[in-house]
Amino acid sequence: MTDTDLLPFLPWNRPSIGAEEIAEVTDTLCSGWLTHGPKAARFEETVRKALGVEDSFAVSSCTAALHLAFLASGIGNGDEVITPSLTFCAAPNAVLQTGATPVFVDVEPLTYNIDPHAAEAAITDRTKAIVVMHYGGHPCDLRAFRKLADDHGLLLIEDAAHALHASRDGHRAGSIGDLAVFSFYANKVMTTGEGGMLVGRADLVHRARLLGRHGIDSSIWKRHGTRNTAAYEVTVPGLKYVMSDVTAAIGVQQFRKLPAFTARRAEIAATYTSALSGLPGLATPKVLPSVEPGWFLYSIFIDDTAPASRDETAELLRTRYKIGTSQHFRPVHTLGIYAQAQAHPLTVTETVARQQLSLPCYPDMTSRETARVTDALQSLWGERAEAAARAPGRTATTDDRCLGYSGADSF
Ligand SMILES: Cc1ncc(COP(=O)(O)O)c(C=O)c1O
């Protein structure tokens, strides 16, 4: 039996829930009001103020927020929406649900965010919106995208699922787009189990609220009590996407803790970067000087010069060291219904998809757990170094150059 056999499995992600969330949920359960009401309103207002946006609407998931964003923007049949392929399928799926077509473009080599030049090259007279996604919590070039959208009369929608609390050039992610969406899914920087929020321009959020509440022109909370609950009209064919107050209760407390969560994630990221930077063939993430990242993901990139491939590393971390990892993402253009010839080159996207590995990085991780991850990678690299040294030499591949580095420590 080895020391590792005695250790529990270290998952890739684990939510941080404390006594405060439990007390707030209990308060809601005892309040007599469980659906979208005063707690959801409090949660919406807190996030709205923090971002400095015009309006906010708490919903059942980020996917619901995306669907509402596209519907409220009037996106539909015949329209095109530019989006990265290096993302989760939620935004492209929601685009398809409206009858519009997602147009996939490549990401930048250093931040893995949608490339403004690639996005510009993909604009046609059918383009209605650009969806940017702040990869892993590192905001994209918000100013460049705002200008691009304005110059071409397009809507800018921020998929900020990873980036609540992140900023670039002094602007919070989610505060620049006409609309922006956040995810409170169980693995995100703060969670409500399932949940999301749509924020942005008052006219668009107002329409989204109507669409997300059956198309009914007043909220049940406002109609409750002494008012006539049947006094409403249906003004558009809406859906039911609201967040419950039980969920919002968790959100109120998680949002209060978010700065501390982010600080702890940043600490873990700094530990990883200093311990892993010298490993051959392994690159650590780059943060641009004007950026305060949210550190939803801590990504490493393993190229062909490394002594173990990305997939082998993930498998050995899991089986030998009992450490969970994840990969972000399988590019959407390679998945099922999306797998067809693409109009635009996706070279960087495909390279990232082969090389990227997400390491555990969440507030409740202890220093001992962080050391488990760095020790495992260092010992794996050490063990393989001798064998790799005996193998035929290798020079940088096109993949490596495409990601902006040609060896381990130049990234
Ligand atoms: C970039 C991105 N957008 C949207 C979503 C969808 O979020 P939700 O699960 O809250 O619908 C995810 C989920 O992981 C995501 O990573």
PDB file of all heavy atoms in Angstrom, residues 272 275-276 279-280 282 284 298 300 302 307-310 313-314 316-317 321 323 325 357 359-360 370-384:
ATOM      1  N   TYR A 272       0.421  27.171  -8.341  1.00  0.00           N
ATOM      2  CA  TYR A 272       0.595  26.272  -9.492  1.00  0.00           C
ATOM      3  C   TYR A 272       1.622  26.845 -10.471  1.00  0.00           C
ATOM      4  O   TYR A 272       2.515  26.139 -10.934  1.00  0.00           O
ATOM      5  CB  TYR A 272      -0.736  26.102 -10.236  1.00  0.00           C
ATOM      6  CG  TYR A 272      -1.726  25.136  -9.622  1.00  0.00           C
ATOM      7  CD1 TYR A 272      -3.084  25.224  -9.918  1.00  0.00           C
ATOM      8  CD2 TYR A 272      -1.327  24.103  -8.771  1.00  0.00           C
ATOM      9  CE1 TYR A 272      -4.009  24.341  -9.390  1.00  0.00           C
ATOM     10  CE2 TYR A 272      -2.253  23.212  -8.241  1.00  0.00           C
ATOM     11  CZ  TYR A 272      -3.585  23.339  -8.558  1.00  0.00           C
ATOM     12  OH  TYR A 272      -4.500  22.464  -8.042  1.00  0.00           O
ATOM     13  N   ALA A 275       5.154  26.541  -9.262  1.00  0.00           N
ATOM     14  CA  ALA A 275       5.667  25.166  -9.166  1.00  0.00           C
ATOM     15  C   ALA A 275       5.792  24.480 -10.526  1.00  0.00           C
ATOM     16  O   ALA A 275       6.632  23.591 -10.702  1.00  0.00           O
ATOM     17  CB  ALA A 275       4.754  24.352  -8.266  1.00  0.00           C
ATOM     18  N   LEU A 276       4.963  24.869 -11.487  1.00  0.00           N
ATOM     19  CA  LEU A 276       4.897  24.093 -12.736  1.00  0.00           C
ATOM     20  C   LEU A 276       5.596  24.764 -13.914  1.00  0.00           C
ATOM     21  O   LEU A 276       5.780  24.132 -14.965  1.00  0.00           O
ATOM     22  CB  LEU A 276       3.425  23.836 -13.108  1.00  0.00           C
ATOM     23  CG  LEU A 276       2.585  23.113 -12.044  1.00  0.00           C
ATOM     24  CD1 LEU A 276       1.131  23.012 -12.479  1.00  0.00           C
ATOM     25  CD2 LEU A 276       3.146  21.709 -11.774  1.00  0.00           C
ATOM     26  N   LEU A 279       8.440  22.954 -16.060  1.00  0.00           N
ATOM     27  CA  LEU A 279       8.318  21.576 -16.569  1.00  0.00           C
ATOM     28  C   LEU A 279       8.312  21.563 -18.098  1.00  0.00           C
ATOM     29  O   LEU A 279       7.519  22.275 -18.720  1.00  0.00           O
ATOM     30  CB  LEU A 279       7.048  20.913 -16.022  1.00  0.00           C
ATOM     31  CG  LEU A 279       6.974  20.748 -14.503  1.00  0.00           C
ATOM     32  CD1 LEU A 279       5.691  20.018 -14.095  1.00  0.00           C
ATOM     33  CD2 LEU A 279       8.194  19.994 -13.961  1.00  0.00           C
ATOM     34  N   PRO A 280       9.183  20.744 -18.692  1.00  0.00           N
ATOM     35  CA  PRO A 280       9.280  20.747 -20.160  1.00  0.00           C
ATOM     36  C   PRO A 280       7.966  20.373 -20.840  1.00  0.00           C
ATOM     37  O   PRO A 280       7.300  19.421 -20.427  1.00  0.00           O
ATOM     38  CB  PRO A 280      10.343  19.669 -20.457  1.00  0.00           C
ATOM     39  CG  PRO A 280      10.993  19.357 -19.165  1.00  0.00           C
ATOM     40  CD  PRO A 280      10.091  19.780 -18.062  1.00  0.00           C
ATOM     41  N   LEU A 282       5.223  21.802 -20.815  1.00  0.00           N
ATOM     42  CA  LEU A 282       3.996  22.172 -20.085  1.00  0.00           C
ATOM     43  C   LEU A 282       3.969  23.695 -19.934  1.00  0.00           C
ATOM     44  O   LEU A 282       4.910  24.281 -19.389  1.00  0.00           O
ATOM     45  CB  LEU A 282       4.006  21.482 -18.713  1.00  0.00           C
ATOM     46  CG  LEU A 282       2.772  21.657 -17.824  1.00  0.00           C
ATOM     47  CD1 LEU A 282       2.634  20.471 -16.862  1.00  0.00           C
ATOM     48  CD2 LEU A 282       2.769  22.953 -17.040  1.00  0.00           C
ATOM     49  N   THR A 284       1.922  27.158 -18.564  1.00  0.00           N
ATOM     50  CA  THR A 284       0.931  27.620 -17.583  1.00  0.00           C
ATOM     51  C   THR A 284       0.181  28.822 -18.171  1.00  0.00           C
ATOM     52  O   THR A 284       0.651  29.436 -19.131  1.00  0.00           O
ATOM     53  CB  THR A 284       1.641  28.006 -16.267  1.00  0.00           C
ATOM     54  OG1 THR A 284       2.678  28.925 -16.561  1.00  0.00           O
ATOM     55  CG2 THR A 284       2.204  26.787 -15.558  1.00  0.00           C
ATOM     56  N   TYR A 298      -7.992  26.828 -14.003  1.00  0.00           N
ATOM     57  CA  TYR A 298      -6.540  26.907 -14.080  1.00  0.00           C
ATOM     58  C   TYR A 298      -6.147  25.865 -15.129  1.00  0.00           C
ATOM     59  O   TYR A 298      -6.247  24.666 -14.887  1.00  0.00           O
ATOM     60  CB  TYR A 298      -5.843  26.630 -12.742  1.00  0.00           C
ATOM     61  CG  TYR A 298      -4.353  26.873 -12.892  1.00  0.00           C
ATOM     62  CD1 TYR A 298      -3.806  28.125 -12.626  1.00  0.00           C
ATOM     63  CD2 TYR A 298      -3.510  25.872 -13.381  1.00  0.00           C
ATOM     64  CE1 TYR A 298      -2.464  28.381 -12.828  1.00  0.00           C
ATOM     65  CE2 TYR A 298      -2.167  26.112 -13.592  1.00  0.00           C
ATOM     66  CZ  TYR A 298      -1.649  27.376 -13.307  1.00  0.00           C
ATOM     67  OH  TYR A 298      -0.317  27.627 -13.518  1.00  0.00           O
ATOM     68  N   ILE A 300      -3.501  24.053 -17.804  1.00  0.00           N
ATOM     69  CA  ILE A 300      -2.145  23.842 -18.297  1.00  0.00           C
ATOM     70  C   ILE A 300      -2.251  23.332 -19.730  1.00  0.00           C
ATOM     71  O   ILE A 300      -3.303  22.818 -20.134  1.00  0.00           O
ATOM     72  CB  ILE A 300      -1.323  22.863 -17.410  1.00  0.00           C
ATOM     73  CG1 ILE A 300      -2.043  21.512 -17.256  1.00  0.00           C
ATOM     74  CG2 ILE A 300      -1.010  23.492 -16.057  1.00  0.00           C
ATOM     75  CD1 ILE A 300      -1.181  20.442 -16.584  1.00  0.00           C
ATOM     76  N   ILE A 302      -0.234  21.003 -22.580  1.00  0.00           N
ATOM     77  CA  ILE A 302       0.825  19.993 -22.683  1.00  0.00           C
ATOM     78  C   ILE A 302       1.071  19.712 -24.159  1.00  0.00           C
ATOM     79  O   ILE A 302       0.180  19.205 -24.862  1.00  0.00           O
ATOM     80  CB  ILE A 302       0.389  18.722 -21.912  1.00  0.00           C
ATOM     81  CG1 ILE A 302       0.197  19.083 -20.438  1.00  0.00           C
ATOM     82  CG2 ILE A 302       1.393  17.600 -22.099  1.00  0.00           C
ATOM     83  CD1 ILE A 302      -0.394  17.969 -19.585  1.00  0.00           C
ATOM     84  N   PRO A 307       6.986  14.917 -21.629  1.00  0.00           N
ATOM     85  CA  PRO A 307       7.219  13.475 -21.463  1.00  0.00           C
ATOM     86  C   PRO A 307       5.935  12.657 -21.379  1.00  0.00           C
ATOM     87  O   PRO A 307       5.978  11.441 -21.522  1.00  0.00           O
ATOM     88  CB  PRO A 307       8.013  13.394 -20.161  1.00  0.00           C
ATOM     89  CG  PRO A 307       7.766  14.674 -19.444  1.00  0.00           C
ATOM     90  CD  PRO A 307       7.473  15.703 -20.491  1.00  0.00           C
ATOM     91  N   ALA A 308       4.815  13.292 -21.135  1.00  0.00           N
ATOM     92  CA  ALA A 308       3.532  12.580 -21.157  1.00  0.00           C
ATOM     93  C   ALA A 308       2.530  13.444 -21.910  1.00  0.00           C
ATOM     94  O   ALA A 308       2.561  14.667 -21.797  1.00  0.00           O
ATOM     95  CB  ALA A 308       3.034  12.341 -19.732  1.00  0.00           C
ATOM     96  N   SER A 309       1.653  12.799 -22.673  1.00  0.00           N
ATOM     97  CA  SER A 309       0.664  13.576 -23.427  1.00  0.00           C
ATOM     98  C   SER A 309      -0.405  14.105 -22.466  1.00  0.00           C
ATOM     99  O   SER A 309      -0.493  13.680 -21.315  1.00  0.00           O
ATOM    100  CB  SER A 309      -0.006  12.691 -24.479  1.00  0.00           C
ATOM    101  OG  SER A 309      -0.846  11.766 -23.815  1.00  0.00           O
ATOM    102  N   ARG A 310      -1.242  15.003 -22.975  1.00  0.00           N
ATOM    103  CA  ARG A 310      -2.319  15.540 -22.142  1.00  0.00           C
ATOM    104  C   ARG A 310      -3.219  14.417 -21.628  1.00  0.00           C
ATOM    105  O   ARG A 310      -3.522  14.344 -20.426  1.00  0.00           O
ATOM    106  CB  ARG A 310      -3.118  16.568 -22.960  1.00  0.00           C
ATOM    107  CG  ARG A 310      -4.162  17.365 -22.196  1.00  0.00           C
ATOM    108  CD  ARG A 310      -5.538  16.698 -22.076  1.00  0.00           C
ATOM    109  NE  ARG A 310      -6.104  16.259 -23.328  1.00  0.00           N
ATOM    110  CZ  ARG A 310      -6.870  17.027 -24.124  1.00  0.00           C
ATOM    111  NH1 ARG A 310      -7.159  18.253 -23.791  1.00  0.00           N
ATOM    112  NH2 ARG A 310      -7.375  16.530 -25.252  1.00  0.00           N
ATOM    113  N   THR A 313      -1.508  12.212 -19.109  1.00  0.00           N
ATOM    114  CA  THR A 313      -1.368  12.939 -17.841  1.00  0.00           C
ATOM    115  C   THR A 313      -2.676  12.894 -17.059  1.00  0.00           C
ATOM    116  O   THR A 313      -2.694  12.581 -15.856  1.00  0.00           O
ATOM    117  CB  THR A 313      -0.966  14.414 -18.105  1.00  0.00           C
ATOM    118  OG1 THR A 313       0.236  14.413 -18.874  1.00  0.00           O
ATOM    119  CG2 THR A 313      -0.740  15.175 -16.814  1.00  0.00           C
ATOM    120  N   ALA A 314      -3.769  13.165 -17.749  1.00  0.00           N
ATOM    121  CA  ALA A 314      -5.083  13.163 -17.070  1.00  0.00           C
ATOM    122  C   ALA A 314      -5.369  11.787 -16.484  1.00  0.00           C
ATOM    123  O   ALA A 314      -5.832  11.657 -15.345  1.00  0.00           O
ATOM    124  CB  ALA A 314      -6.167  13.562 -18.058  1.00  0.00           C
ATOM    125  N   LEU A 316      -3.199   9.348 -15.680  1.00  0.00           N
ATOM    126  CA  LEU A 316      -2.306   9.009 -14.556  1.00  0.00           C
ATOM    127  C   LEU A 316      -2.649   9.809 -13.305  1.00  0.00           C
ATOM    128  O   LEU A 316      -2.595   9.289 -12.190  1.00  0.00           O
ATOM    129  CB  LEU A 316      -0.848   9.227 -14.955  1.00  0.00           C
ATOM    130  CG  LEU A 316      -0.300   8.122 -15.863  1.00  0.00           C
ATOM    131  CD1 LEU A 316       1.028   8.544 -16.488  1.00  0.00           C
ATOM    132  CD2 LEU A 316      -0.134   6.807 -15.114  1.00  0.00           C
ATOM    133  N   LEU A 317      -3.012  11.074 -13.486  1.00  0.00           N
ATOM    134  CA  LEU A 317      -3.417  11.871 -12.311  1.00  0.00           C
ATOM    135  C   LEU A 317      -4.629  11.215 -11.639  1.00  0.00           C
ATOM    136  O   LEU A 317      -4.714  11.125 -10.417  1.00  0.00           O
ATOM    137  CB  LEU A 317      -3.749  13.311 -12.715  1.00  0.00           C
ATOM    138  CG  LEU A 317      -2.551  14.217 -13.030  1.00  0.00           C
ATOM    139  CD1 LEU A 317      -3.023  15.585 -13.546  1.00  0.00           C
ATOM    140  CD2 LEU A 317      -1.653  14.427 -11.808  1.00  0.00           C
ATOM    141  N   TYR A 321      -2.617   9.027  -8.935  1.00  0.00           N
ATOM    142  CA  TYR A 321      -2.509  10.063  -7.886  1.00  0.00           C
ATOM    143  C   TYR A 321      -3.866  10.447  -7.288  1.00  0.00           C
ATOM    144  O   TYR A 321      -3.931  11.282  -6.393  1.00  0.00           O
ATOM    145  CB  TYR A 321      -1.822  11.308  -8.455  1.00  0.00           C
ATOM    146  CG  TYR A 321      -0.414  11.022  -8.928  1.00  0.00           C
ATOM    147  CD1 TYR A 321      -0.146  10.787 -10.279  1.00  0.00           C
ATOM    148  CD2 TYR A 321       0.647  10.965  -8.029  1.00  0.00           C
ATOM    149  CE1 TYR A 321       1.136  10.521 -10.717  1.00  0.00           C
ATOM    150  CE2 TYR A 321       1.944  10.702  -8.463  1.00  0.00           C
ATOM    151  CZ  TYR A 321       2.184  10.478  -9.814  1.00  0.00           C
ATOM    152  OH  TYR A 321       3.461  10.218 -10.240  1.00  0.00           O
ATOM    153  N   ILE A 323      -6.326  12.236  -8.513  1.00  0.00           N
ATOM    154  CA  ILE A 323      -6.602  13.674  -8.712  1.00  0.00           C
ATOM    155  C   ILE A 323      -7.491  13.833  -9.958  1.00  0.00           C
ATOM    156  O   ILE A 323      -7.142  13.341 -11.037  1.00  0.00           O
ATOM    157  CB  ILE A 323      -5.275  14.455  -8.893  1.00  0.00           C
ATOM    158  CG1 ILE A 323      -4.465  14.421  -7.585  1.00  0.00           C
ATOM    159  CG2 ILE A 323      -5.542  15.891  -9.340  1.00  0.00           C
ATOM    160  CD1 ILE A 323      -3.049  14.918  -7.710  1.00  0.00           C
ATOM    161  N   THR A 325      -9.285  15.906 -13.036  1.00  0.00           N
ATOM    162  CA  THR A 325      -9.008  17.044 -13.933  1.00  0.00           C
ATOM    163  C   THR A 325     -10.204  17.166 -14.881  1.00  0.00           C
ATOM    164  O   THR A 325     -11.099  16.325 -14.857  1.00  0.00           O
ATOM    165  CB  THR A 325      -7.739  16.826 -14.777  1.00  0.00           C
ATOM    166  OG1 THR A 325      -7.903  15.624 -15.527  1.00  0.00           O
ATOM    167  CG2 THR A 325      -6.489  16.750 -13.908  1.00  0.00           C
ATOM    168  N   LEU A 357      -5.603  21.172 -20.190  1.00  0.00           N
ATOM    169  CA  LEU A 357      -6.056  20.348 -19.072  1.00  0.00           C
ATOM    170  C   LEU A 357      -6.373  21.283 -17.902  1.00  0.00           C
ATOM    171  O   LEU A 357      -5.550  22.124 -17.530  1.00  0.00           O
ATOM    172  CB  LEU A 357      -4.956  19.358 -18.671  1.00  0.00           C
ATOM    173  CG  LEU A 357      -5.344  18.279 -17.662  1.00  0.00           C
ATOM    174  CD1 LEU A 357      -6.367  17.299 -18.264  1.00  0.00           C
ATOM    175  CD2 LEU A 357      -4.105  17.486 -17.215  1.00  0.00           C
ATOM    176  N   LEU A 359      -6.804  21.950 -14.047  1.00  0.00           N
ATOM    177  CA  LEU A 359      -6.423  21.374 -12.754  1.00  0.00           C
ATOM    178  C   LEU A 359      -7.418  21.813 -11.672  1.00  0.00           C
ATOM    179  O   LEU A 359      -8.055  22.860 -11.813  1.00  0.00           O
ATOM    180  CB  LEU A 359      -5.016  21.859 -12.356  1.00  0.00           C
ATOM    181  CG  LEU A 359      -3.871  21.495 -13.299  1.00  0.00           C
ATOM    182  CD1 LEU A 359      -2.545  21.994 -12.726  1.00  0.00           C
ATOM    183  CD2 LEU A 359      -3.806  19.988 -13.540  1.00  0.00           C
ATOM    184  N   PRO A 360      -7.520  21.072 -10.573  1.00  0.00           N
ATOM    185  CA  PRO A 360      -8.408  21.504  -9.479  1.00  0.00           C
ATOM    186  C   PRO A 360      -8.000  22.888  -8.998  1.00  0.00           C
ATOM    187  O   PRO A 360      -6.813  23.146  -8.780  1.00  0.00           O
ATOM    188  CB  PRO A 360      -8.156  20.457  -8.378  1.00  0.00           C
ATOM    189  CG  PRO A 360      -7.552  19.287  -9.065  1.00  0.00           C
ATOM    190  CD  PRO A 360      -6.798  19.828 -10.254  1.00  0.00           C
ATOM    191  N   THR A 370      -3.261  21.386  -2.838  1.00  0.00           N
ATOM    192  CA  THR A 370      -2.582  22.052  -3.970  1.00  0.00           C
ATOM    193  C   THR A 370      -1.217  21.402  -4.188  1.00  0.00           C
ATOM    194  O   THR A 370      -0.818  21.143  -5.336  1.00  0.00           O
ATOM    195  CB  THR A 370      -2.402  23.555  -3.653  1.00  0.00           C
ATOM    196  OG1 THR A 370      -3.581  24.053  -3.077  1.00  0.00           O
ATOM    197  CG2 THR A 370      -2.080  24.344  -4.885  1.00  0.00           C
ATOM    198  N   ALA A 371      -0.538  21.111  -3.074  1.00  0.00           N
ATOM    199  CA  ALA A 371       0.790  20.485  -3.173  1.00  0.00           C
ATOM    200  C   ALA A 371       0.681  19.075  -3.745  1.00  0.00           C
ATOM    201  O   ALA A 371       1.573  18.617  -4.469  1.00  0.00           O
ATOM    202  CB  ALA A 371       1.453  20.448  -1.799  1.00  0.00           C
ATOM    203  N   ARG A 372      -0.428  18.398  -3.463  1.00  0.00           N
ATOM    204  CA  ARG A 372      -0.629  17.063  -4.041  1.00  0.00           C
ATOM    205  C   ARG A 372      -0.600  17.130  -5.562  1.00  0.00           C
ATOM    206  O   ARG A 372      -0.038  16.273  -6.238  1.00  0.00           O
ATOM    207  CB  ARG A 372      -1.994  16.516  -3.615  1.00  0.00           C
ATOM    208  CG  ARG A 372      -1.918  15.420  -2.594  1.00  0.00           C
ATOM    209  CD  ARG A 372      -3.313  14.950  -2.229  1.00  0.00           C
ATOM    210  NE  ARG A 372      -3.828  13.949  -3.151  1.00  0.00           N
ATOM    211  CZ  ARG A 372      -5.041  13.412  -3.075  1.00  0.00           C
ATOM    212  NH1 ARG A 372      -5.865  13.785  -2.117  1.00  0.00           N
ATOM    213  NH2 ARG A 372      -5.434  12.500  -3.952  1.00  0.00           N
ATOM    214  N   VAL A 373      -1.235  18.187  -6.098  1.00  0.00           N
ATOM    215  CA  VAL A 373      -1.313  18.329  -7.563  1.00  0.00           C
ATOM    216  C   VAL A 373       0.068  18.651  -8.141  1.00  0.00           C
ATOM    217  O   VAL A 373       0.516  17.997  -9.096  1.00  0.00           O
ATOM    218  CB  VAL A 373      -2.329  19.437  -7.952  1.00  0.00           C
ATOM    219  CG1 VAL A 373      -2.366  19.630  -9.467  1.00  0.00           C
ATOM    220  CG2 VAL A 373      -3.714  19.110  -7.403  1.00  0.00           C
ATOM    221  N   THR A 374       0.762  19.614  -7.528  1.00  0.00           N
ATOM    222  CA  THR A 374       2.067  19.998  -8.096  1.00  0.00           C
ATOM    223  C   THR A 374       3.084  18.857  -7.903  1.00  0.00           C
ATOM    224  O   THR A 374       3.866  18.568  -8.807  1.00  0.00           O
ATOM    225  CB  THR A 374       2.588  21.311  -7.462  1.00  0.00           C
ATOM    226  OG1 THR A 374       2.575  21.189  -6.042  1.00  0.00           O
ATOM    227  CG2 THR A 374       1.734  22.494  -7.858  1.00  0.00           C
ATOM    228  N   ASP A 375       3.049  18.185  -6.739  1.00  0.00           N
ATOM    229  CA  ASP A 375       3.970  17.058  -6.516  1.00  0.00           C
ATOM    230  C   ASP A 375       3.726  15.958  -7.546  1.00  0.00           C
ATOM    231  O   ASP A 375       4.669  15.365  -8.075  1.00  0.00           O
ATOM    232  CB  ASP A 375       3.778  16.455  -5.105  1.00  0.00           C
ATOM    233  CG  ASP A 375       4.280  17.398  -4.007  1.00  0.00           C
ATOM    234  OD1 ASP A 375       4.894  18.424  -4.356  1.00  0.00           O
ATOM    235  OD2 ASP A 375       4.028  17.105  -2.820  1.00  0.00           O
ATOM    236  N   ALA A 376       2.451  15.682  -7.807  1.00  0.00           N
ATOM    237  CA  ALA A 376       2.124  14.606  -8.749  1.00  0.00           C
ATOM    238  C   ALA A 376       2.688  14.932 -10.130  1.00  0.00           C
ATOM    239  O   ALA A 376       3.336  14.085 -10.768  1.00  0.00           O
ATOM    240  CB  ALA A 376       0.620  14.419  -8.820  1.00  0.00           C
ATOM    241  N   LEU A 377       2.482  16.170 -10.585  1.00  0.00           N
ATOM    242  CA  LEU A 377       2.973  16.529 -11.924  1.00  0.00           C
ATOM    243  C   LEU A 377       4.500  16.539 -11.960  1.00  0.00           C
ATOM    244  O   LEU A 377       5.119  16.054 -12.911  1.00  0.00           O
ATOM    245  CB  LEU A 377       2.407  17.893 -12.345  1.00  0.00           C
ATOM    246  CG  LEU A 377       0.945  17.845 -12.782  1.00  0.00           C
ATOM    247  CD1 LEU A 377       0.334  19.248 -12.840  1.00  0.00           C
ATOM    248  CD2 LEU A 377       0.797  17.169 -14.150  1.00  0.00           C
ATOM    249  N   GLN A 378       5.104  17.069 -10.890  1.00  0.00           N
ATOM    250  CA  GLN A 378       6.571  17.103 -10.863  1.00  0.00           C
ATOM    251  C   GLN A 378       7.131  15.683 -10.854  1.00  0.00           C
ATOM    252  O   GLN A 378       8.091  15.369 -11.555  1.00  0.00           O
ATOM    253  CB  GLN A 378       7.068  17.885  -9.649  1.00  0.00           C
ATOM    254  CG  GLN A 378       6.955  19.390  -9.847  1.00  0.00           C
ATOM    255  CD  GLN A 378       7.055  20.174  -8.558  1.00  0.00           C
ATOM    256  OE1 GLN A 378       6.962  19.601  -7.471  1.00  0.00           O
ATOM    257  NE2 GLN A 378       7.249  21.473  -8.664  1.00  0.00           N
ATOM    258  N   SER A 379       6.522  14.786 -10.073  1.00  0.00           N
ATOM    259  CA  SER A 379       7.096  13.437 -10.001  1.00  0.00           C
ATOM    260  C   SER A 379       6.844  12.679 -11.295  1.00  0.00           C
ATOM    261  O   SER A 379       7.692  11.931 -11.772  1.00  0.00           O
ATOM    262  CB  SER A 379       6.632  12.696  -8.739  1.00  0.00           C
ATOM    263  OG  SER A 379       5.414  12.069  -8.968  1.00  0.00           O
ATOM    264  N   LEU A 380       5.681  12.922 -11.907  1.00  0.00           N
ATOM    265  CA  LEU A 380       5.400  12.284 -13.203  1.00  0.00           C
ATOM    266  C   LEU A 380       6.404  12.751 -14.259  1.00  0.00           C
ATOM    267  O   LEU A 380       6.976  11.944 -15.007  1.00  0.00           O
ATOM    268  CB  LEU A 380       3.971  12.632 -13.609  1.00  0.00           C
ATOM    269  CG  LEU A 380       3.409  12.028 -14.878  1.00  0.00           C
ATOM    270  CD1 LEU A 380       3.470  10.511 -14.829  1.00  0.00           C
ATOM    271  CD2 LEU A 380       1.964  12.480 -15.047  1.00  0.00           C
ATOM    272  N   TRP A 381       6.641  14.046 -14.290  1.00  0.00           N
ATOM    273  CA  TRP A 381       7.596  14.613 -15.264  1.00  0.00           C
ATOM    274  C   TRP A 381       9.012  14.078 -14.971  1.00  0.00           C
ATOM    275  O   TRP A 381       9.751  13.713 -15.889  1.00  0.00           O
ATOM    276  CB  TRP A 381       7.565  16.139 -15.216  1.00  0.00           C
ATOM    277  CG  TRP A 381       6.905  16.760 -16.419  1.00  0.00           C
ATOM    278  CD1 TRP A 381       7.471  17.625 -17.295  1.00  0.00           C
ATOM    279  CD2 TRP A 381       5.550  16.581 -16.865  1.00  0.00           C
ATOM    280  NE1 TRP A 381       6.566  17.986 -18.260  1.00  0.00           N
ATOM    281  CE2 TRP A 381       5.382  17.358 -18.032  1.00  0.00           C
ATOM    282  CE3 TRP A 381       4.474  15.814 -16.411  1.00  0.00           C
ATOM    283  CZ2 TRP A 381       4.183  17.402 -18.735  1.00  0.00           C
ATOM    284  CZ3 TRP A 381       3.274  15.875 -17.118  1.00  0.00           C
ATOM    285  CH2 TRP A 381       3.151  16.654 -18.253  1.00  0.00           C
ATOM    286  N   GLY A 382       9.352  14.037 -13.665  1.00  0.00           N
ATOM    287  CA  GLY A 382      10.692  13.567 -13.289  1.00  0.00           C
ATOM    288  C   GLY A 382      10.914  12.129 -13.727  1.00  0.00           C
ATOM    289  O   GLY A 382      11.934  11.795 -14.327  1.00  0.00           O
ATOM    290  N   GLU A 383       9.896  11.332 -13.457  1.00  0.00           N
ATOM    291  CA  GLU A 383       9.980   9.899 -13.786  1.00  0.00           C
ATOM    292  C   GLU A 383      10.099   9.680 -15.286  1.00  0.00           C
ATOM    293  O   GLU A 383      10.821   8.808 -15.757  1.00  0.00           O
ATOM    294  CB  GLU A 383       8.691   9.265 -13.245  1.00  0.00           C
ATOM    295  CG  GLU A 383       8.492   7.815 -13.482  1.00  0.00           C
ATOM    296  CD  GLU A 383       7.037   7.483 -13.124  1.00  0.00           C
ATOM    297  OE1 GLU A 383       6.709   7.540 -11.924  1.00  0.00           O
ATOM    298  OE2 GLU A 383       6.251   7.192 -14.040  1.00  0.00           O
ATOM    299  N   ARG A 384       9.373  10.507 -16.045  1.00  0.00           N
ATOM    300  CA  ARG A 384       9.380  10.347 -17.507  1.00  0.00           C
ATOM    301  C   ARG A 384      10.586  11.018 -18.179  1.00  0.00           C
ATOM    302  O   ARG A 384      10.886  10.729 -19.331  1.00  0.00           O
ATOM    303  CB  ARG A 384       8.111  10.947 -18.108  1.00  0.00           C
ATOM    304  CG  ARG A 384       6.835  10.218 -17.776  1.00  0.00           C
ATOM    305  CD  ARG A 384       6.892   8.818 -18.335  1.00  0.00           C
ATOM    306  NE  ARG A 384       5.676   8.091 -18.085  1.00  0.00           N
ATOM    307  CZ  ARG A 384       4.609   8.110 -18.886  1.00  0.00           C
ATOM    308  NH1 ARG A 384       4.628   8.814 -19.982  1.00  0.00           N
ATOM    309  NH2 ARG A 384       3.554   7.406 -18.579  1.00  0.00           N
TER     310      ARG A 384
END
